[in-house]
């Protein structure tokens, strides 16, 4: 572990801060089990933001030009946390410069772009990782293990939900999240992809989809100040919402399983509610992100009078949890997932092996999203194979 | 309340026994609040079954010919608990004879038949009730009340599930439930209708559906002895399963809400699992039959720091519960739902007002089922209006 | 099963109605598996109540004098559902007349009386059963089975709770429940005994106790109309409450286990909340009456990464449930517990074997209650052996 | 906020690492809202441990002599994470040197020592904080707010549990935790204090206690290698366990409330299970550490048919959560509690106001523990006032 891994951060907003913290904490949590890490530079369109974040993390270089990071020969990893619509261009340039890439989700706005990035990163032999942090939960590793070891038999059913109430107020102003050009789809791309990523990881490749989208709040007041979750509205000027408030879909998997996923950003009563139920021929699993330190497991081979879903609390027996706490019952939180994500990235770079989930994985999710949108438009089942290779990508 | 209500029971199996008990218990629970009840005769193809059930309920007449009941001028109500495929003929004859009808669900095997029964019963001015007993739960009355009084705003989303594991064993023998001619559809008609009936009752009329069906266990051994849940299999002879192990569907409602329902009879880990979540613009509701004495309720108008789903335990404050128990926390069970159902029927007859849920209601559910099956076959959204008036009904 | 069992009911209030229904339903549910049952007479201080209940149950004899029942040679079982303070005298007379006895809980107001009844009933070789109906739950049979078969190892800890909010309103009027002479203790005797009976049944004999009682609402307005839960108060006249609003106790068991029980009638937020947790050296059990169709079970011998509490839903695999429903997931309710209780009584009489829970059992609970009250008064641990044989019993 | 706060860390084990991380993360999470922080030196009996921890946190000084830290005029805060039995001496020396103190729980082994430290720290006007990190949860702040604003009326009942299974294996070797001289009491001091600290914070000062202790596993094999949770046993040599496996207690509070607490280290099936239920005259609260991002709240003034416990998920509306995440539903974990604790300490130092929970608070908990142990020994209620001022303290 002689080699130090040096990274440059592009994007100094909330998620940039979160990544920088995760790198520092990974060093504290995993210590000598990880290569040494160094933050070399921070780029942001807002120089002050870049500067603040850099200084807070013991880094003395900041810039408004991300190319400085991409072209810096002293940097091994480019970490992208900028707005979604910029990921493609920055990541593509980083690939061209031979950098490993750590990119926030979604990787791109559509699967034509994600296919290009995947192809080019693979061709260049680079390590990539996309920030589907919920997959990093030791509870998910346990779920994977139980499935792969046959404990629930052949998986036949997946049911996923991702509901939130962030957009439930019809007077909350129009934001980038409602703008198809910047955000792509709405609830589906922003949050439904979390549930889809769990389906992909735990059940496997999706074969075909049927989608349905609905926008309940058809227009929203224009924002006059602030941005994101704290902006204020001008109630006299309305703008049409351009993407889905809710998306429902059905899924068929290559292994014969079937499933459904629904997501909503106007789900009154649900706050970052992310659940799945997986049924196999011999057992089942249930998980909800609201109780992210628990996995429910059912084994049909138990004696008939003793069958039931069991609630397993994550503890030191569950792999990477033990790096955080020596005893069970102490909770892993959201920030810890990011730390595990960084551990995964650095370990992959050190060993020169693919990280999980990489561009390839993100590309699969992007294709599922595109197929759902196409299906919803045309009102028919759509095979993922129908999505052609990219032809008209913006460059 | 001078009038006594006299009924004849057609079908002396498990459900016939359940109905007879419900009539007797309704008298004990509601006493003078209900008209007097008398069981006049029991019919069953198995005379011994008819006799046993009759005697156990203080009734001295039994027969193998249900026409004796239908044509008995001393009988006011014909109670039908025979196999599903016989409901249509018996009910139609009972209507022709001017009897009120209490029929187990499903009313018929398809909506052409249910439409005929509905039209004819309406034309004859008869009281009808179909045994969707889960709707009789005081928890459902509370849900209805909360919705109708605007507590959750406009309903925009319904998510229903009915999962069971009764057919999870691939070696469990072929039974009438797998036979399309006798059972109609599989998981959908047998159990999914419970979830659909909750959607219909709580959200309202369904406009269009998209359906998907799947049969995982494509053939089953022939049964050599016994029937129903306790039969034994001949593993050397297999018979093709003719209906769905699982059905998924999406729903749009006339009031603009959208939703989904999924049901399965091979849902490992779930036993008569029946749940719904209803989201409105101002609140939400969650219910699971496994905890049938509870309703979860969310009100978005609570102060932001005090918002959350509340678990309401059903008690004397919740209408008809108080007829059972003077104090809260004592559980209503399945058998009590049947007693409430009988109370509904008798009260409706006494007041000469429609009962709930009547043939009209059951006909709506039948149309939804037929539309789902048609949609699944054709792979496209199907409007309920596409289902034409009956033309070629077996008579 | 030639013999018919004939019973007379003493007390025609809510509980009398409940017993009468249970007898009739037991016949319907268990059919030929039970001897034939006949209600021969009903006694109540209110003749009209006796008459109504008798007629509703096909019985043509009613009286205000319970001695008519006790002395009727045609009656096998005396069923006592009168107010608590009358149980002793009626039961003693019934024993003297050689009747089997079915008595509502509490058997008596204190353990001197219950000891006498127990001794005399045993001496006369009579079958007795006391209505601790919550013990009749198939979930409790499962719990017993798991403990007895060693699945949780040696039991070392019991934690029981019985909380309700019936008396939480300080302006709810003084009732017989607050009157030490009629009710005995308050929350402890009325409801805490439910939790204690579970400790006795599942863990075993109690050795010593430490008790603490508290009356939060020291006086209540006098009632001017009605009675029980629906009476009205005269706020100008107050009467001192004579027994405990809440009782806490610690328990040591003869087998070395330790435990605690707390009960309250002013437990804001809890409605007939009855729970226990039992920990053994190899596993644990958790139950709550609010979800009476579930038992939680933990087995420490599971693989470390798969340990967790499992939720078992009661179904046909769990003994007597199968008499009610052929399929799982259909709920047993409170009334069904009473039916099982009657099944237990009649089976015991038919086989001439002790019923469970009998006077002996109820006497043990009464001793625990008396020891808790004595301990609370003296502020020290009290052994059950300190309670002397009865000397000054009212006769 | 010009002033930088400099601290020295005494103890470089698991908890020392946790504290160092918390300081660094507090800077990242709270940024300019906190004074600048600097780790000046690390002391540990194991020099290598001190060195590693120092270097990992950008600190260039380490030592085996904690006096170097205590006497360093450049250090403002002494942070003590050494074994429990050393806290008293180190803290007392730090007070003498005029340092603010951040000390892991328990502050001392008994209340005579904690009283001395409290008196001396108060006399010196120093800021102190003891690491009862579970109290730092925004869910607890919400609970406090709801109680203080009268939402649940007058508190009348507290029921606390702290159960874990760390010592459930009888062959797990004897460790310092079983040694009265090093650990003080067993389950009570190590873990029961967490539940007691919640009682103290939320209900208030405790007046008197009744305690009961039990050691189920009376001897354990001697450890031959390793320490703490991972040590190995020599099964041929046994050593007597010197403190409680489980403690049960009853509590009376100065405000008239009553309660109970039980804790166990042999609680099969429970992993760091920490729960409380608080009942007031107008409402109730329920919390479990296993679901530390939730608080259950009941308000009796809701309409009778809408009463129930509500599950509130912690989000940005709940104070300090918003420093971690801008959106709800993202979980706070154990490590975040330590960050909040550091925030509390630094804010208190900056504003020169008492921190919570300080030595005064810890001293109250120590007195409760001592009173419970005394009561258990003497088998009688014990008032906290009976614990005399310190006279024979080791110095």
């Amino acid at each position: 572990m002689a080699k130090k891994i040096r990274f440059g951060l592009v994007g100094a907003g909330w998620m940039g801060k979160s990544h920088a913290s995760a790198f520092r904490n990974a060093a504290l949590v995993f210590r000598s089990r990880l290569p040494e890490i160094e933050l070399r530079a921070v780029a942001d369109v807002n120089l002050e933001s870049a500067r603040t974040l850099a200084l807070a993390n013991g880094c003395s270089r900041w810039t408004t030009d991300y190319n400085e990071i991409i072209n810096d020969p002293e940097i091994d990893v480019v970490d992208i946390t900028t707005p979604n619509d910029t990921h493609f261009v920055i990541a593509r340039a980083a690939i061209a410069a031979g950098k490993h890439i750590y990119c926030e989700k979604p990787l791109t706005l559509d699967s034509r772009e994600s296919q290009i990035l995947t192809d080019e990163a693979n061709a260049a032999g680079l390590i990539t990782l996309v920030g589907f942090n919920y997959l990093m939960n030791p509870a998910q590793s346990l779920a994977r293990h139980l499935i792969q070891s046959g404990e629930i038999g052949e998986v036949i059913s997946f049911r996923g939900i991702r509901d939130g109430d962030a957009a439930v107020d019809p007077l909350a102003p129009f934001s980038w999240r409602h703008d198809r050009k910047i955000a792509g789809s709405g609830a589906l791309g922003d949050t439904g992809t979390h549930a889809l990523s769990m389906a992909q990881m735990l059940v496997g490749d999706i074969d075909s989809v049927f989608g349905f989208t609905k926008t309940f709040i058809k227009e929203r007041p224009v924002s006059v100040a602030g941005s994101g979750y704290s902006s204020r509205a001008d109630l006299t000027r309305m703008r049409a919402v351009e993407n889905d408030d809710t998306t429902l879909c059905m899924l068929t998997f290559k292994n014969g399983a079937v499933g459904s996923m629904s997501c909503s950003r106007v789900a009154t009563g649900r706050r970052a509610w992310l659940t799945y139920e997986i049924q196999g021929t011999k057992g089942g699993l249930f998980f909800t992100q609201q109780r992210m330190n628990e996995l429910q497991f059912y084994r049909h081979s138990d004696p008939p009078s003793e069958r039931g879903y069991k609630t397993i609390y994550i503890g030191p027996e569950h792999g990477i949890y033990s790096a955080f706490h020596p005893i069970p019952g102490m909770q892993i939180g959201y920030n810890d997932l990011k730390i595990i994500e960084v551990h995964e990235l650095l370990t992959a770079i050190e060993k020169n092996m693919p990280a999980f989930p990489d561009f390839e994985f993100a590309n699969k999710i992007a294709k599922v999203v595109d197929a759902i949108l196409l299906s919803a438009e045309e009102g028919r089942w759509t095979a993922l194979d129908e999505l052609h290779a990219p032809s008209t990508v913006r460059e």
Side-chain angles (χ1 to χ4, degrees), chain A:
Chain A
M1 276 186 227
K3 193 170 171 288
K4 174 192 282 191
I5 295 179
R6 303 151 307 175
F7 74 107
L9 183 58
V10 184
W14 169 53
M15 201 36 89
K17 172 182 158 187
S18 171
H19 279 224
S21 296
F23 273 103
R24 292 186 67 174
N25 278 296
L28 295 172
V29 169
F30 295 99
R31 298 191 175 194
S32 60
R33 292 157 56 188
L34 281 185
E36 205 180 330
I37 307 162
E38 185 188 354
L39 174 58
R40 296 278 295 179
V42 178
D44 197 284
V45 290
N46 181 324
L47 187 64
E48 184 53 26
S49 296
R51 179 178 168 273
T52 304
L53 183 53
L55 289 176
N57 287 279
C59 162
S60 57
R61 236 174 94 213
W62 49 90
T63 172
T64 58
D65 181 5
Y66 67 80
N67 286 302
E68 283 189 34
I69 284 176
I70 284 172
N71 297 322
D72 182 345
E74 302 290 303
I75 282 177
D76 306 301
V77 183
V78 174
D79 181 1
I80 306 171
T81 68
T82 50
N84 300 347
D85 60 332
T86 67
H87 292 180
F88 176 69
V89 173
I90 299 173
R92 203 171 187 193
I95 294 168
K99 305 300 189 197
H100 302 307
I101 302 178
Y102 177 20
C103 185
E104 235 345 277
K105 67 146 274 274
L107 177 55
T108 57
L109 293 189
D110 61 41
S111 64
R112 293 171 309 160
E113 294 180 351
S114 61
Q115 184 68 56
I116 292 173
L117 293 184
T118 303
D119 292 343
E120 296 182 355
N122 282 348
L126 300 168
I127 309 296
T128 60
L129 189 145
V130 180
F132 288 100
N133 37 257
Y134 294 130
L135 305 184
M136 298 292 119
N137 189 337
Q140 304 310 338
S141 306
L142 176 59
R144 270 176 105 167
H145 169 74
L146 291 170
I147 292 172
Q148 284 169 3
S149 59
E151 294 284 352
I152 65 166
E154 288 171 51
V155 172
I156 62 172
S157 163
F158 174 87
R159 189 187 283 134
I161 299 174
R162 176 51 173 76
D163 269 4
D165 65 356
V168 82
D169 178 0
L171 299 184
F174 188 98
S175 80
W176 66 268
R177 289 177 196 274
H178 310 109
D179 184 333
R180 179 174 291 267
K181 243 187 246 136
I182 305 178
S185 66
L188 176 59
D190 191 23
T191 65
T193 45
H194 288 302
L196 292 171
S197 70
M198 288 174 170
Q200 176 71 47
M201 175 176 74
L202 296 171
V203 185
D205 286 346
I206 287 164
D207 197 43
S208 65
V209 303
F210 182 84
F212 172 66
T213 65
K214 172 108 179 181
T215 307
F216 289 105
I217 300 172
K218 299 206 187 324
E219 54 178 26
R220 289 180 174 278
V222 168
S223 169
V224 284
S227 71
Y229 291 106
S230 59
S231 60
R232 276 194 306 281
D234 173 356
L235 300 183
T236 66
R237 288 188 299 153
M238 304 299 279
R239 182 166 164 190
V241 172
E242 296 171 0
N243 51 25
D244 54 301
D245 282 338
T246 188
T247 287
L248 284 68
C249 66
M250 295 178 189
L251 311 166
T252 67
F253 294 84
K254 291 202 169 148
N255 60 11
V258 302
S260 66
M261 195 283 296
S262 75
C263 57
S264 171
R265 63 189 179 195
V266 294
T268 317
R270 298 303 182 190
R271 323 197 73 179
W273 191 259
L274 174 60
T275 76
Y276 64 74
E277 177 172 347
I278 293 176
Q279 296 166 351
T281 52
K282 295 181 184 167
L285 297 171
F286 179 83
F287 173 80
T288 172
Q289 184 65 22
Q290 294 272 13
R291 290 170 173 174
M292 61 176 272
N293 287 271
E294 305 173 17
L295 181 71
Q296 292 187 31
F297 171 40
Y298 173 88
R299 200 197 310 257
H300 200 67
S301 62
D302 282 353
S305 68
E306 294 177 18
R307 286 179 190 150
Y309 262 94
K310 187 194 285 184
T311 300
I312 302 173
Y313 286 100
I314 300 306
E317 308 84 1
H318 302 107
I320 211 159
Y321 174 99
S322 62
F324 290 86
H325 305 299
I327 55 174
M330 304 179 75
Q331 312 266 314
I332 297 270
Y334 176 87
N335 285 338
D336 299 320
L337 299 182
K338 276 290 176 204
I339 295 172
I340 299 174
E341 193 170 277
V342 165
H343 173 270
E344 169 73 15
L345 173 71
L346 297 176
T347 305
I349 291 173
E350 191 190 18
K351 302 191 174 170
N352 196 28
M353 290 177 62
F356 175 82
D358 58 9
F359 281 9
E360 190 99 39
F361 182 93
N363 184 39
K364 286 179 178 179
I365 303 303
K367 279 178 192 288
V368 174
V369 167
D370 283 0
I372 290 170
L373 293 172
L374 177 59
S375 163
E377 213 176 299
E378 303 194 349
R380 61 177 183 82
W381 280 94
T382 300
L384 263 65
D385 290 343
E386 293 183 43
L387 299 173
H388 298 298
S391 53
T392 55
V393 178
R394 63 188 164 117
E395 299 193 34

